[in-house]
Amino acid sequence: MERGYKMISIFSKIKKVIKEEERARFRIATAFKFAIIPILSILFLLVLGYIILSVTLSVLNSHLAEISFIVPDLVNSFVSQTIINISPWIGVMFVILFCIGLMVGSLMLRPFKNIATYCEERLVDESSTYDPSFTTDLMLLNSFSEWFFHTVETNSSKNIAIPNKYKGIHKPVFEKNFFIYNFLIVIFVTIISAVTIHYLSLEIYEDLVDVVKEVYSKSKEVTGFTQSLYRIFFNVSNLAIAFNISLYLFFLFHIYSKVSTPAFGIFATMRSFISGKRHARVHLIGYTYIRSYTRSINKYLDSLTQTKD
């Protein structure tokens, strides 16, 4: 009983932390989306297998109508046996991809964390230095923030000329490095998923053939059907892999939108501030996962305003 209460207490604390910590919720949500995509592709494959089996049995029933009453049992047998066979693979894949997804979520927040950490350290210790050279995810934000911090801390003027390369930017820019870096991660995961999906398609095919042969073993049509089924399942496997790739590409653009807009918002605020608009602060609606970071940046800007004034 005591152990049960302790487990409940631990889960309650974890739930509380997740509710209070938006960044943790964001990382978990990103990891879940990242890990669920191959599962959806496998379920898509299973549904197609179910349809193929149903059609196959219906065709064979036209030759052996006297046993048509057991067709529903065959379909149920196929579904249950397939789920039992592929469940361990799905479980292992989900855990591995979830861990990779957590890493992806952390990497997405890294540029914002670096800026916020420096702002917090600078408020406490003026000797703190900012060096984003090891981070190349968001080049515009990283390069401008480096110039911004160096300039405002060494130039006492209230109206500072902004380099031309930072002018004329009025919307989120396409961050090639960020996109390519995450694209490589997606490609790696897609290859692993494709191999797994192809293997599982063979498992589903073997289960389907076993179910068909269980009743129609003496039928001449079975041999021809099983040979045709292999070719069909090869194409179905490729279709599931294409479905998986499409979902990951959509995921890639989705996570890109999660960082490109707030990155531009921080950049635009810093640019306005250094050009003389000392009231400029970071206010991003809907991006709660970086709220704690923007608060640190705003405190730093408040400190600069008080110092300059």
Side-chain angles (χ1 to χ4, degrees):
M1 288 294 291
E2 291 183 2
R3 181 176 296 179
Y5 284 126
K6 288 182 179 179
M7 290 298 294
I8 293 174
S9 177
I10 292 174
F11 282 119
S12 298
K13 290 180 180 179
I14 293 175
K15 186 177 180 180
K16 182 179 179 181
V17 170
I18 292 175
K19 284 184 176 181
E20 295 177 351
E21 180 54 81
E22 293 290 345
R23 284 173 291 177
R25 294 176 63 183
F26 171 77
R27 286 192 290 265
I28 290 173
T30 301
F32 180 79
K33 294 173 187 175
F34 190 79
I36 201 65
I37 290 176
I39 312 302
L40 294 176
S41 302
I42 293 170
L43 291 177
F44 176 69
L45 180 65
L46 182 59
V47 169
L48 291 180
Y50 172 83
I51 295 173
I52 292 171
L53 176 61
S54 300
V55 172
T56 300
L57 293 178
S58 297
V59 172
L60 292 176
N61 276 340
S62 64
H63 300 280
L64 296 170
E66 67 275 7
I67 59 173
S68 61
F69 67 92
I70 67 170
V71 168
D73 292 335
L74 287 173
V75 175
N76 293 333
S77 175
F78 162 76
V79 173
S80 60
Q81 184 62 39
T82 301
I83 291 176
I84 292 173
N85 289 342
I86 70 176
S87 290
W89 287 91
I90 291 178
V92 172
M93 175 182 282
F94 183 84
V95 171
I96 293 175
L97 293 181
F98 188 84
C99 293
I100 297 176
L102 288 175
M103 180 187 70
V104 171
S106 297
L107 291 175
M108 289 173 61
L109 297 177
R110 184 175 64 176
F112 308 109
K113 180 181 179 181
N114 291 339
I115 293 175
T117 299
Y118 171 76
C119 290
E120 293 172 357
E121 292 176 350
R122 184 73 183 185
L123 292 175
V124 177
D125 182 7
E126 293 187 357
S127 63
S128 300
T129 58
Y130 178 70
D131 182 15
S133 58
F134 64 91
T135 268
T136 57
D137 302 88
L138 301 172
M139 291 299 297
L140 175 63
L141 180 61
N142 289 332
S143 62
F144 183 79
S145 61
E146 185 175 16
W147 174 81
F148 174 86
F149 289 131
H150 173 75
T151 303
V152 297
E153 289 161 9
T154 57
N155 192 328
S156 58
S157 175
K158 290 185 178 182
N159 194 344
I160 300 173
I162 300 175
N164 290 331
K165 64 179 180 179
Y166 298 125
K167 295 179 179 179
I169 301 175
H170 304 295
K171 61 180 181 179
V173 298
F174 180 73
E175 295 284 1
K176 182 175 65 175
N177 287 342
F178 172 86
F179 198 84
I180 291 176
Y181 180 76
N182 286 279
F183 182 74
L184 292 176
I185 295 177
V186 168
I187 288 294
F188 173 74
V189 173
T190 301
I191 292 173
I192 295 177
S193 302
V195 173
T196 305
I197 290 172
H198 183 68
Y199 174 81
L200 292 180
S201 70
L202 294 177
E203 287 285 323
I204 295 174
Y205 165 75
E206 291 175 0
D207 291 339
L208 190 152
V209 171
D210 290 341
V211 170
V212 173
K213 285 184 175 180
E214 186 175 336
V215 175
Y216 300 106
S217 57
K218 295 181 180 180
S219 176
K220 295 180 180 179
E221 289 85 356
V222 171
T223 302
F225 264 108
T226 54
Q227 292 175 353
S228 299
L229 283 177
Y230 181 80
R231 291 191 294 271
I232 292 173
F233 254 87
F234 180 78
N235 293 329
V236 167
S237 174
N238 292 335
L239 186 60
I241 291 172
F243 180 71
N244 185 70
I245 293 174
S246 300
L247 288 180
Y248 266 120
L249 287 176
F250 176 80
F251 171 79
L252 184 60
F253 283 100
H254 170 69
I255 63 171
Y256 177 72
S257 67
K258 290 289 186 179
V259 297
S260 60
T261 301
F264 172 76
I266 295 174
F267 158 77
T269 300
M270 287 181 167
R271 184 177 60 182
S272 297
F273 183 91
I274 202 169
S275 63
K277 298 178 182 178
R278 297 299 180 179
H279 62 279
R281 298 294 183 271
V282 183
H283 298 292
L284 299 172
I285 300 175
Y287 300 92
T288 55
Y289 46 90
I290 62 170
R291 183 178 296 165
S292 61
Y293 298 144
T294 57
R295 285 172 180 167
S296 298
I297 297 172
N298 287 338
K299 288 180 181 179
Y300 174 80
L301 297 179
D302 290 339
S303 174
L304 286 177
T305 301
Q306 295 172 5
T307 302
K308 301 292 183 181
D309 294 341

